[in-house]
Amino acid sequence: MRVLTVIAGFALLASGLGACAPQLNMTHQPVDLITDQGTIRVAVNVRDAPISACNFLRYANAGDYNGGSFFRTVVSETNQNPNPIDVIQAATPRGSDDEAHAPIPLERTRDTGLRHTAGAISMARNGPDTATSSFFIVTRDTPSLDFGGGRNPDGQGFAVFGRVTEGLDAARRIQLLPADAEEQLTPPVTITEARMAYPLPVRCRRNPW
């Protein structure tokens, strides 16, 4: 009887470990961006864009996006750039140039195979290798943001690191809210919390580059 109990205990332990294994090895980490316009769930692609994904997850894990905001909207129909885009951009409470972590190398879509299709989440930047905390969500397919696209004069594109799996409608609602002539939302939409479903992946606890 005692042997059966021990065997049953091992079976339960193995079952529990089996249930946890996918969580510990997940390549697409879910993060909920909770706003008063709805929750936007993103799957952060640690497998194909580890640098950008881990950078975002480290800010989220530290609570840096809590109390931040979606502060900018760009609508292609009214955008004056020769390569118009459809995005909403977010930042921490400290602003879009928050360097709580050092700027990261640019992961080009040429190399990751990821694209700026509707629902993509990507890092904002100025020059190559300058992205820090600010990110944006694409509401419609926008290939001009990919490598070789014309949105940025350097042609290097931006770094997609995941995609929206739930709440793209909320992102589109935010995009259509009132904004000023500088594309700044008036008022910004607060990110109450960036809620991670699982602990920071092991590979993200050190620089993945």
Side-chain angles (χ1 to χ4, degrees):
M1 193 67 155
R2 181 181 179 83
V3 172
L4 289 174
T5 303
V6 171
I7 291 173
F10 274 118
L12 285 172
L13 178 60
S15 172
L17 289 174
C20 291
Q23 298 177 14
L24 296 176
N25 296 294
M26 283 183 62
T27 58
H28 293 75
Q29 294 275 327
V31 177
D32 286 347
L33 302 172
I34 301 169
T35 80
D36 61 8
Q37 294 294 319
T39 296
I40 302 170
R41 173 167 289 183
V42 296
V44 179
N45 191 335
V46 179
R47 180 189 63 198
D48 297 314
I51 296 172
S52 305
C54 286
N55 177 67
F56 173 83
L57 289 172
R58 284 188 295 182
Y59 278 99
N61 187 63
D64 287 325
Y65 292 120
N66 300 349
S69 65
F70 285 100
F71 69 93
R72 180 179 177 225
T73 177
V74 187
V75 180
S76 59
E77 286 82 1
T78 57
N79 189 221
Q80 300 302 310
N81 190 289
N83 295 279
I85 58 176
D86 285 282
V87 305
I88 56 172
Q89 185 177 348
T92 75
R94 294 182 290 274
S96 59
D97 295 319
D98 181 354
E99 295 188 4
H101 301 289
I104 58 173
L106 174 63
E107 289 180 302
R108 294 160 177 82
T109 57
R110 171 198 63 191
D111 303 322
T112 64
L114 306 177
R115 296 291 181 265
H116 288 89
T117 53
I121 182 170
S122 186
M123 294 306 306
R125 69 173 181 87
N126 292 316
D129 308 332
T130 62
T132 54
S133 57
S134 186
F135 64 90
F136 61 90
I137 291 172
V138 180
T139 61
R140 289 198 291 192
D141 292 0
T142 310
S144 65
L145 293 167
D146 293 335
F147 178 81
R151 180 64 184 192
N152 196 300
D154 59 34
Q156 299 302 297
F158 297 79
V160 178
F161 62 90
R163 65 180 307 98
V164 173
T165 56
E166 296 177 33
L168 186 55
D169 56 334
R172 288 171 171 156
R173 277 197 301 275
I174 293 170
Q175 185 189 18
L176 297 178
L177 291 174
D180 64 20
E182 302 299 318
E183 302 175 331
Q184 305 295 296
L185 284 163
T186 54
V189 174
T190 299
I191 299 172
T192 306
E193 182 181 4
R195 182 179 298 165
M196 295 175 60
Y198 303 111
L200 190 68
V202 172
R203 72 182 301 175
C204 295
R205 296 174 193 169
R206 58 186 182 277
N207 285 347
W209 63 88

Coordinates of all heavy atoms in Angstrom, one line a residue, residues 99-192:
E99 N 15.5 55.2 -20.6 CA 16.6 54.3 -20.7 C 16.9 53.5 -19.4 O 18.1 53.5 -19.0 CB 17.9 55.0 -21.3 CG 17.7 55.6 -22.7 CD 19.0 56.2 -23.2 OE1 20.0 56.1 -22.6 OE2 18.9 56.7 -24.3
A100 N 15.9 52.9 -18.9 CA 16.2 52.1 -17.7 C 17.1 51.0 -18.0 O 17.8 50.5 -17.2 CB 14.8 51.6 -17.1
H101 N 17.1 50.5 -19.3 CA 18.1 49.6 -19.8 C 18.7 50.2 -21.0 O 18.2 51.1 -21.6 CB 17.4 48.3 -20.2 CG 16.6 47.6 -19.1 ND1 17.3 47.0 -18.1 CD2 15.3 47.4 -18.9 CE1 16.4 46.5 -17.2 NE2 15.2 46.7 -17.7
A102 N 19.9 49.7 -21.3 CA 20.7 50.3 -22.4 C 20.0 50.1 -23.7 O 19.2 49.1 -23.9 CB 22.1 49.7 -22.5
P103 N 20.1 50.9 -24.7 CA 19.6 50.7 -26.1 C 20.0 49.3 -26.6 O 21.1 48.9 -26.3 CB 20.1 51.9 -26.9 CG 20.4 52.9 -25.9 CD 20.9 52.2 -24.7
I104 N 19.1 48.8 -27.4 CA 19.4 47.4 -27.9 C 19.7 47.4 -29.4 O 19.3 48.3 -30.1 CB 18.1 46.5 -27.7 CG1 16.9 47.1 -28.3 CG2 17.9 46.3 -26.2 CD1 15.7 46.2 -28.3
P105 N 20.4 46.4 -29.8 CA 20.7 46.2 -31.3 C 19.4 46.0 -32.0 O 18.5 45.4 -31.5 CB 21.6 45.0 -31.4 CG 22.2 44.8 -30.0 CD 21.1 45.3 -29.1
L106 N 19.3 46.5 -33.3 CA 18.1 46.4 -34.1 C 18.0 45.0 -34.7 O 19.0 44.5 -35.3 CB 18.2 47.4 -35.2 CG 17.1 47.4 -36.3 CD1 15.7 47.6 -35.7 CD2 17.4 48.4 -37.4
E107 N 16.9 44.4 -34.4 CA 16.6 43.1 -35.1 C 15.8 43.3 -36.3 O 14.6 43.6 -36.3 CB 15.8 42.1 -34.1 CG 16.7 41.6 -33.0 CD 15.9 40.7 -32.0 OE1 14.9 41.2 -31.5 OE2 16.3 39.6 -31.8
R108 N 16.4 43.3 -37.5 CA 15.7 43.6 -38.7 C 14.8 42.5 -39.1 O 15.0 41.3 -39.0 CB 16.8 43.8 -39.8 CG 17.7 45.0 -39.5 CD 19.0 45.0 -40.3 NE 19.8 46.2 -40.1 CZ 20.5 46.4 -39.0 NH1 20.6 45.5 -38.1 NH2 21.2 47.5 -38.8
T109 N 13.6 42.9 -39.7 CA 12.7 42.0 -40.2 C 13.2 41.0 -41.2 O 12.8 39.9 -41.4 CB 11.4 42.6 -40.7 OG1 11.8 43.5 -41.8 CG2 10.7 43.4 -39.6
R110 N 14.2 41.5 -41.9 CA 14.9 40.7 -42.9 C 15.5 39.4 -42.3 O 15.5 38.3 -42.9 CB 16.1 41.5 -43.5 CG 17.1 40.7 -44.4 CD 18.4 41.5 -44.6 NE 19.1 41.7 -43.3 CZ 20.1 42.5 -43.1 NH1 20.6 43.2 -44.1 NH2 20.7 42.6 -41.9
D111 N 15.9 39.6 -41.0 CA 16.6 38.5 -40.3 C 15.6 37.6 -39.4 O 15.8 36.4 -39.3 CB 17.7 39.0 -39.4 CG 18.7 39.8 -40.2 OD1 19.0 39.4 -41.3 OD2 19.2 40.8 -39.7
T112 N 14.6 38.3 -38.9 CA 13.7 37.6 -38.0 C 12.6 36.9 -38.8 O 12.0 35.9 -38.3 CB 13.0 38.5 -37.0 OG1 12.2 39.5 -37.7 CG2 14.1 39.2 -36.1
G113 N 12.2 37.4 -39.9 CA 11.1 36.8 -40.7 C 9.8 37.3 -40.2 O 8.7 36.9 -40.8
L114 N 9.8 38.2 -39.2 CA 8.5 38.8 -38.7 C 8.2 40.0 -39.6 O 9.1 40.7 -40.1 CB 8.6 39.1 -37.3 CG 9.1 38.0 -36.4 CD1 9.2 38.4 -34.9 CD2 8.1 36.8 -36.4
R115 N 6.9 40.4 -39.7 CA 6.5 41.5 -40.5 C 5.5 42.4 -39.8 O 4.8 42.0 -38.9 CB 5.8 40.9 -41.8 CG 6.7 40.1 -42.7 CD 7.8 41.0 -43.3 NE 8.7 40.2 -44.2 CZ 9.9 39.7 -43.8 NH1 10.3 39.9 -42.6 NH2 10.6 39.0 -44.7
H116 N 5.4 43.6 -40.3 CA 4.5 44.6 -39.7 C 3.1 44.5 -40.3 O 2.6 45.4 -41.0 CB 5.1 46.0 -39.9 CG 6.3 46.3 -39.1 ND1 7.6 46.0 -39.5 CD2 6.4 46.8 -37.8 CE1 8.4 46.4 -38.5 NE2 7.7 46.9 -37.5
T117 N 2.5 43.4 -40.1 CA 1.1 43.1 -40.5 C 0.2 43.6 -39.3 O 0.7 43.9 -38.2 CB 0.9 41.7 -40.8 OG1 1.3 40.9 -39.7 CG2 1.7 41.2 -42.0
A118 N -1.1 43.7 -39.6 CA -2.0 44.1 -38.6 C -1.9 43.3 -37.3 O -1.9 42.1 -37.3 CB -3.4 44.0 -39.1
G119 N -1.7 44.0 -36.2 CA -1.5 43.4 -34.9 C -0.1 43.2 -34.4 O 0.2 42.8 -33.3
A120 N 0.9 43.5 -35.3 CA 2.3 43.4 -34.9 C 2.6 44.4 -33.8 O 2.1 45.5 -33.8 CB 3.2 43.6 -36.1
I121 N 3.5 44.0 -32.9 CA 4.0 44.9 -31.9 C 5.5 45.0 -32.1 O 6.2 44.0 -32.4 CB 3.7 44.4 -30.4 CG1 4.3 45.4 -29.4 CG2 4.3 43.0 -30.2 CD1 3.8 45.1 -28.0
S122 N 6.0 46.2 -32.1 CA 7.4 46.5 -32.6 C 8.0 47.6 -31.8 O 7.3 48.4 -31.1 CB 7.3 47.0 -34.1 OG 8.5 47.1 -34.7
M123 N 9.3 47.7 -31.8 CA 10.1 48.7 -31.0 C 10.2 50.0 -31.8 O 10.5 50.0 -33.0 CB 11.5 48.2 -30.7 CG 11.5 47.0 -29.7 SD 10.6 47.2 -28.2 CE 11.3 48.8 -27.5
A124 N 9.9 51.1 -31.1 CA 10.1 52.4 -31.7 C 11.6 52.7 -31.6 O 12.3 52.2 -30.7 CB 9.3 53.5 -30.9
R125 N 12.1 53.5 -32.5 CA 13.5 53.9 -32.5 C 13.7 55.2 -33.3 O 12.9 55.6 -34.0 CB 14.4 52.8 -33.1 CG 14.2 52.6 -34.6 CD 15.2 51.6 -35.2 NE 15.0 51.5 -36.7 CZ 15.6 52.2 -37.6 NH1 16.4 53.2 -37.2 NH2 15.5 52.0 -38.9
N126 N 15.0 55.7 -33.1 CA 15.4 56.8 -34.0 C 16.4 56.2 -35.0 O 16.0 55.6 -36.0 CB 16.0 57.9 -33.2 CG 15.0 58.7 -32.4 OD1 13.9 59.0 -32.8 ND2 15.3 58.9 -31.1
G127 N 17.7 56.2 -34.7 CA 18.6 55.5 -35.6 C 18.7 54.0 -35.2 O 18.1 53.6 -34.3
P128 N 19.4 53.2 -36.0 CA 19.5 51.8 -35.7 C 20.2 51.7 -34.3 O 21.0 52.5 -33.9 CB 20.5 51.3 -36.8 CG 20.2 52.2 -38.0 CD 20.0 53.6 -37.3
D129 N 19.8 50.6 -33.6 CA 20.4 50.3 -32.3 C 20.2 51.4 -31.3 O 21.0 51.6 -30.4 CB 22.0 50.1 -32.4 CG 22.3 49.1 -33.5 OD1 21.5 48.2 -33.8 OD2 23.4 49.2 -34.1
T130 N 19.0 52.0 -31.3 CA 18.7 53.1 -30.3 C 17.4 52.8 -29.6 O 17.1 53.5 -28.7 CB 18.5 54.5 -31.0 OG1 17.4 54.4 -32.0 CG2 19.8 54.9 -31.8
A131 N 16.7 51.7 -29.9 CA 15.5 51.4 -29.2 C 15.7 51.1 -27.7 O 16.6 50.5 -27.3 CB 14.8 50.2 -29.8
T132 N 14.8 51.7 -26.9 CA 14.8 51.4 -25.4 C 13.5 50.8 -25.0 O 13.3 49.6 -25.1 CB 15.2 52.7 -24.7 OG1 14.3 53.8 -25.0 CG2 16.6 53.1 -25.0
S133 N 12.6 51.7 -24.5 CA 11.3 51.2 -23.9 C 10.1 51.4 -24.8 O 9.1 50.7 -24.6 CB 11.1 51.9 -22.6 OG 11.1 53.3 -22.8
S134 N 10.1 52.4 -25.6 CA 8.9 52.7 -26.4 C 8.6 51.7 -27.4 O 9.5 51.2 -28.2 CB 9.0 54.1 -27.0 OG 7.8 54.5 -27.6
F135 N 7.3 51.3 -27.6 CA 6.9 50.4 -28.6 C 5.7 50.8 -29.3 O 5.0 51.8 -28.8 CB 6.7 49.0 -27.9 CG 5.5 49.0 -26.9 CD1 4.2 48.7 -27.3 CD2 5.7 49.2 -25.6 CE1 3.2 48.7 -26.4 CE2 4.7 49.2 -24.7 CZ 3.4 49.0 -25.1
F136 N 5.3 50.2 -30.4 CA 4.1 50.5 -31.1 C 3.4 49.3 -31.5 O 4.0 48.2 -31.7 CB 4.3 51.5 -32.2 CG 5.3 51.0 -33.3 CD1 4.7 50.3 -34.4 CD2 6.6 51.2 -33.2 CE1 5.6 49.9 -35.4 CE2 7.5 50.8 -34.3 CZ 6.9 50.1 -35.3
I137 N 2.0 49.4 -31.8 CA 1.2 48.4 -32.3 C 0.7 48.8 -33.6 O 0.2 49.9 -33.8 CB 0.1 48.0 -31.3 CG1 0.6 47.4 -30.0 CG2 -1.0 47.1 -32.0 CD1 -0.4 47.2 -29.0
V138 N 0.8 47.9 -34.6 CA 0.3 48.2 -36.0 C -1.1 47.8 -36.1 O -1.5 46.7 -35.8 CB 1.2 47.4 -37.0 CG1 0.7 47.7 -38.4 CG2 2.7 47.8 -36.8
T139 N -2.0 48.7 -36.6 CA -3.4 48.4 -36.7 C -3.8 47.9 -38.1 O -4.9 47.3 -38.2 CB -4.3 49.6 -36.3 OG1 -4.0 50.7 -37.2 CG2 -4.0 50.0 -34.8
R140 N -3.0 48.2 -39.1 CA -3.2 47.7 -40.4 C -1.9 47.3 -41.0 O -0.8 47.8 -40.7 CB -3.9 48.7 -41.3 CG -5.3 49.0 -40.9 CD -6.1 49.7 -42.0 NE -5.7 51.0 -42.2 CZ -6.4 51.9 -43.0 NH1 -7.5 51.5 -43.6 NH2 -5.9 53.1 -43.2
D141 N -1.9 46.4 -42.0 CA -0.6 46.0 -42.6 C 0.1 47.2 -43.1 O -0.4 48.1 -43.8 CB -0.9 45.1 -43.9 CG -1.5 43.7 -43.5 OD1 -1.7 43.5 -42.3 OD2 -1.8 42.9 -44.4
T142 N 1.4 47.3 -42.7 CA 2.2 48.5 -43.0 C 3.6 48.0 -43.4 O 4.6 48.1 -42.7 CB 2.3 49.4 -41.9 OG1 0.9 49.7 -41.4 CG2 2.9 50.8 -42.3
P143 N 3.8 47.5 -44.7 CA 5.1 47.0 -45.1 C 6.2 48.0 -45.1 O 7.4 47.7 -45.1 CB 4.8 46.4 -46.5 CG 3.6 47.0 -46.9 CD 2.8 47.3 -45.7
S144 N 5.9 49.3 -45.1 CA 6.9 50.3 -45.2 C 7.7 50.4 -43.9 O 8.8 51.0 -43.8 CB 6.3 51.7 -45.4 OG 5.4 52.1 -44.4
L145 N 7.2 49.7 -42.8 CA 8.0 49.6 -41.6 C 9.0 48.5 -41.6 O 9.8 48.4 -40.6 CB 7.0 49.5 -40.4 CG 6.1 50.7 -40.1 CD1 5.0 50.3 -39.2 CD2 6.9 51.8 -39.6
D146 N 8.9 47.6 -42.5 CA 9.8 46.4 -42.6 C 11.2 46.9 -43.2 O 11.3 48.0 -43.7 CB 9.2 45.3 -43.5 CG 8.0 44.7 -43.0 OD1 7.8 44.7 -41.7 OD2 7.2 44.2 -43.8
F147 N 12.1 46.0 -43.1 CA 13.4 46.2 -43.7 C 13.3 46.5 -45.1 O 12.6 45.8 -45.9 CB 14.3 45.0 -43.5 CG 15.7 45.1 -44.1 CD1 16.7 45.8 -43.4 CD2 16.0 44.6 -45.4 CE1 17.9 46.0 -44.0 CE2 17.2 44.8 -46.0 CZ 18.2 45.5 -45.3
G148 N 13.9 47.6 -45.6 CA 13.8 48.0 -47.0 C 12.7 48.9 -47.2 O 12.6 49.5 -48.3
G149 N 11.8 49.1 -46.2 CA 10.7 50.0 -46.4 C 11.1 51.5 -46.3 O 12.2 51.8 -45.8
G150 N 10.2 52.4 -46.7 CA 10.6 53.8 -46.8 C 10.3 54.6 -45.6 O 10.5 55.8 -45.6
R151 N 9.6 54.0 -44.6 CA 9.2 54.9 -43.5 C 10.3 55.6 -42.8 O 10.3 56.8 -42.5 CB 8.4 54.1 -42.5 CG 7.9 54.9 -41.3 CD 6.9 56.0 -41.7 NE 6.5 56.9 -40.6 CZ 5.5 57.7 -40.6 NH1 4.8 57.9 -41.7 NH2 5.2 58.5 -39.6
N152 N 11.4 54.8 -42.5 CA 12.6 55.4 -42.0 C 13.7 55.6 -43.1 O 13.9 54.7 -43.8 CB 13.2 54.6 -40.8 CG 14.2 55.3 -40.0 OD1 15.2 55.8 -40.5 ND2 13.9 55.4 -38.7
P153 N 14.3 56.8 -43.2 CA 15.2 57.1 -44.3 C 16.3 56.1 -44.4 O 16.9 55.9 -45.5 CB 15.7 58.5 -44.0 CG 14.6 59.1 -43.2 CD 14.0 58.0 -42.4
D154 N 16.7 55.4 -43.3 CA 17.9 54.5 -43.3 C 17.5 53.2 -44.0 O 18.4 52.3 -44.2 CB 18.5 54.3 -42.0 CG 17.6 53.8 -40.9 OD1 16.7 53.0 -41.3 OD2 17.7 54.1 -39.7
G155 N 16.2 52.9 -44.2 CA 15.8 51.7 -44.8 C 15.9 50.4 -44.0 O 15.7 49.3 -44.5
Q156 N 16.3 50.6 -42.7 CA 16.5 49.4 -41.9 C 15.3 48.8 -41.3 O 15.3 47.7 -40.7 CB 17.6 49.7 -40.8 CG 18.9 50.1 -41.4 CD 19.5 49.1 -42.3 OE1 19.8 48.0 -41.9 NE2 19.7 49.4 -43.6
G157 N 14.2 49.6 -41.3 CA 13.0 49.1 -40.7 C 13.0 49.1 -39.2 O 13.9 49.6 -38.6
F158 N 11.9 48.5 -38.7 CA 11.8 48.4 -37.2 C 11.7 47.0 -36.8 O 11.5 46.1 -37.6 CB 10.5 49.2 -36.8 CG 10.6 50.7 -37.1 CD1 10.4 51.1 -38.4 CD2 10.9 51.6 -36.1 CE1 10.4 52.5 -38.7 CE2 11.0 52.9 -36.4 CZ 10.8 53.4 -37.7
A159 N 11.8 46.7 -35.5 CA 11.9 45.4 -35.0 C 10.6 44.8 -34.4 O 10.2 45.2 -33.3 CB 13.0 45.3 -33.9
V160 N 9.9 44.0 -35.2 CA 8.7 43.3 -34.7 C 9.2 42.3 -33.7 O 10.2 41.5 -33.9 CB 8.0 42.6 -35.9 CG1 6.8 41.9 -35.3 CG2 7.6 43.6 -36.9
F161 N 8.5 42.2 -32.5 CA 8.8 41.2 -31.6 C 7.6 40.4 -31.0 O 7.7 39.7 -30.0 CB 9.6 41.8 -30.4 CG 8.8 42.8 -29.6 CD1 8.1 42.5 -28.5 CD2 8.9 44.2 -30.0 CE1 7.4 43.4 -27.8 CE2 8.2 45.1 -29.3 CZ 7.4 44.8 -28.2
G162 N 6.5 40.5 -31.7 CA 5.3 39.7 -31.3 C 4.1 40.3 -32.0 O 4.2 41.1 -32.9
R163 N 2.9 39.8 -31.5 CA 1.7 40.3 -32.2 C 0.5 40.2 -31.2 O 0.6 39.5 -30.2 CB 1.4 39.5 -33.4 CG 1.1 38.1 -33.3 CD 0.8 37.5 -34.7 NE -0.2 38.3 -35.4 CZ 0.1 39.2 -36.4 NH1 1.3 39.5 -36.7 NH2 -0.9 39.9 -36.9
V164 N -0.5 41.0 -31.5 CA -1.7 41.0 -30.7 C -2.5 39.8 -31.0 O -2.7 39.4 -32.1 CB -2.5 42.3 -31.1 CG1 -3.9 42.2 -30.4 CG2 -1.8 43.6 -30.7
T165 N -2.9 39.1 -29.9 CA -3.7 37.9 -30.1 C -5.1 38.1 -29.6 O -6.0 37.4 -30.0 CB -3.1 36.7 -29.2 OG1 -3.0 37.1 -27.9 CG2 -1.8 36.3 -29.8
E166 N -5.3 39.1 -28.8 CA -6.7 39.6 -28.4 C -6.7 41.1 -28.2 O -5.7 41.6 -27.7 CB -7.1 38.9 -27.1 CG -7.3 37.4 -27.1 CD -7.6 36.8 -25.8 OE1 -8.4 37.4 -25.0 OE2 -7.1 35.7 -25.5
G167 N -7.7 41.7 -28.6 CA -7.9 43.2 -28.3 C -7.4 44.1 -29.4 O -7.1 45.3 -29.1
L168 N -7.2 43.6 -30.6 CA -6.9 44.5 -31.7 C -7.9 45.6 -31.9 O -7.6 46.7 -32.3 CB -6.6 43.7 -33.0 CG -6.1 44.5 -34.2 CD1 -4.8 45.3 -33.9 CD2 -5.9 43.6 -35.4
D169 N -9.2 45.2 -31.6 CA -10.3 46.2 -31.6 C -10.0 47.4 -30.7 O -10.3 48.5 -31.0 CB -11.6 45.6 -31.4 CG -11.7 44.8 -30.0 OD1 -10.6 44.4 -29.5 OD2 -12.8 44.7 -29.5
A170 N -9.5 47.0 -29.5 CA -9.1 48.1 -28.5 C -8.0 49.0 -29.1 O -8.1 50.2 -28.9 CB -8.7 47.5 -27.2
A171 N -7.0 48.4 -29.7 CA -5.9 49.2 -30.3 C -6.5 50.1 -31.4 O -6.1 51.3 -31.5 CB -4.9 48.3 -30.9
R172 N -7.4 49.6 -32.1 CA -8.0 50.5 -33.2 C -8.9 51.6 -32.6 O -9.0 52.7 -33.2 CB -8.8 49.6 -34.2 CG -7.9 48.7 -35.0 CD -8.6 47.7 -35.9 NE -7.7 47.1 -36.8 CZ -7.9 45.9 -37.4 NH1 -8.9 45.1 -37.0 NH2 -7.0 45.4 -38.2
R173 N -9.6 51.3 -31.5 CA -10.3 52.4 -30.8 C -9.4 53.5 -30.4 O -9.7 54.7 -30.5 CB -11.1 51.8 -29.6 CG -12.4 51.2 -30.0 CD -13.3 51.0 -28.7 NE -12.7 50.2 -27.7 CZ -12.7 48.9 -27.7 NH1 -13.4 48.2 -28.6 NH2 -12.2 48.2 -26.7
I174 N -8.3 53.1 -29.8 CA -7.3 54.1 -29.3 C -6.8 54.9 -30.5 O -6.6 56.1 -30.4 CB -6.1 53.4 -28.6 CG1 -6.6 52.7 -27.3 CG2 -5.0 54.3 -28.3 CD1 -5.6 51.8 -26.6
Q175 N -6.5 54.2 -31.6 CA -6.0 55.0 -32.8 C -6.9 56.1 -33.2 O -6.5 57.1 -33.7 CB -5.8 54.0 -33.9 CG -5.1 54.6 -35.1 CD -5.0 53.7 -36.3 OE1 -5.8 52.7 -36.4 NE2 -4.2 54.0 -37.3
L176 N -8.2 55.9 -33.0 CA -9.2 56.9 -33.5 C -9.6 57.9 -32.5 O -10.5 58.8 -32.8 CB -10.4 56.1 -34.1 CG -10.2 55.2 -35.3 CD1 -11.4 54.5 -35.7 CD2 -9.5 56.0 -36.4
L177 N -9.0 57.9 -31.3 CA -9.3 58.9 -30.3 C -8.7 60.3 -30.7 O -7.8 60.4 -31.6 CB -8.7 58.5 -29.0 CG -9.4 57.2 -28.3 CD1 -8.7 56.8 -27.1 CD2 -10.9 57.6 -28.0
P178 N -9.2 61.4 -30.1 CA -8.8 62.7 -30.5 C -7.3 62.9 -30.3 O -6.7 62.4 -29.3 CB -9.5 63.6 -29.5 CG -10.8 62.8 -29.2 CD -10.3 61.4 -29.1
A179 N -6.6 63.6 -31.2 CA -5.2 63.8 -31.2 C -4.9 65.2 -31.7 O -5.8 65.8 -32.4 CB -4.4 62.8 -32.0
D180 N -3.8 65.8 -31.3 CA -3.5 67.2 -31.8 C -2.7 67.1 -33.1 O -2.5 66.0 -33.7 CB -2.7 67.9 -30.7 CG -1.3 67.3 -30.4 OD1 -0.8 66.5 -31.2 OD2 -0.8 67.6 -29.3
A181 N -2.2 68.2 -33.5 CA -1.5 68.3 -34.8 C -0.2 67.6 -34.8 O 0.3 67.3 -35.9 CB -1.3 69.8 -35.2
E182 N 0.3 67.3 -33.6 CA 1.6 66.5 -33.5 C 1.4 65.1 -33.3 O 2.3 64.3 -32.9 CB 2.4 67.1 -32.3 CG 2.7 68.6 -32.5 CD 3.5 68.9 -33.7 OE1 4.4 68.1 -34.0 OE2 3.2 69.9 -34.4
E183 N 0.1 64.6 -33.5 CA -0.2 63.2 -33.4 C -0.2 62.7 -32.0 O -0.1 61.5 -31.7 CB 0.7 62.3 -34.3 CG 0.7 62.6 -35.8 CD 1.7 61.9 -36.6 OE1 2.7 61.5 -36.0 OE2 1.4 61.6 -37.8
Q184 N -0.3 63.6 -31.0 CA -0.3 63.2 -29.6 C -1.8 63.1 -29.2 O -2.6 64.0 -29.4 CB 0.4 64.3 -28.8 CG 1.8 64.7 -29.2 CD 2.7 63.5 -29.0 OE1 3.0 63.0 -27.9 NE2 3.3 63.0 -30.1
L185 N -2.1 61.9 -28.6 CA -3.4 61.7 -28.1 C -3.8 62.7 -27.0 O -3.0 62.9 -26.1 CB -3.5 60.2 -27.5 CG -3.6 59.2 -28.6 CD1 -3.3 57.8 -28.0 CD2 -5.0 59.2 -29.3
T186 N -5.0 63.2 -27.0 CA -5.4 64.2 -26.1 C -6.7 63.8 -25.4 O -7.8 64.1 -26.0 CB -5.6 65.6 -26.8 OG1 -6.5 65.4 -27.9 CG2 -4.2 66.1 -27.3
P187 N -6.7 63.2 -24.2 CA -5.5 62.8 -23.5 C -4.9 61.5 -23.9 O -5.6 60.7 -24.6 CB -6.1 62.8 -22.0 CG -7.4 62.2 -22.2 CD -7.9 62.8 -23.5
P188 N -3.7 61.2 -23.4 CA -3.1 59.9 -23.6 C -4.0 58.8 -22.9 O -4.8 59.1 -22.0 CB -1.8 59.9 -22.9 CG -1.5 61.4 -22.8 CD -2.8 62.1 -22.6
V189 N -3.9 57.6 -23.4 CA -4.6 56.4 -22.8 C -3.7 55.7 -21.9 O -2.6 55.2 -22.3 CB -5.1 55.5 -23.9 CG1 -5.7 54.2 -23.3 CG2 -6.1 56.2 -24.8
T190 N -4.0 55.7 -20.6 CA -3.2 55.1 -19.6 C -3.1 53.6 -19.7 O -4.1 52.9 -19.9 CB -3.7 55.5 -18.2 OG1 -3.7 56.9 -18.0 CG2 -2.8 54.9 -17.1
I191 N -1.9 53.1 -19.6 CA -1.7 51.7 -19.4 C -1.7 51.4 -17.9 O -0.7 51.7 -17.2 CB -0.4 51.2 -20.0 CG1 -0.4 51.5 -21.5 CG2 -0.1 49.7 -19.8 CD1 1.0 51.2 -22.2
T192 N -2.8 50.9 -17.4 CA -2.9 50.6 -15.9 C -1.8 49.6 -15.5 O -1.2 49.8 -14.5 CB -4.3 50.1 -15.6 OG1 -5.3 51.0 -16.1 CG2 -4.5 49.9 -14.1

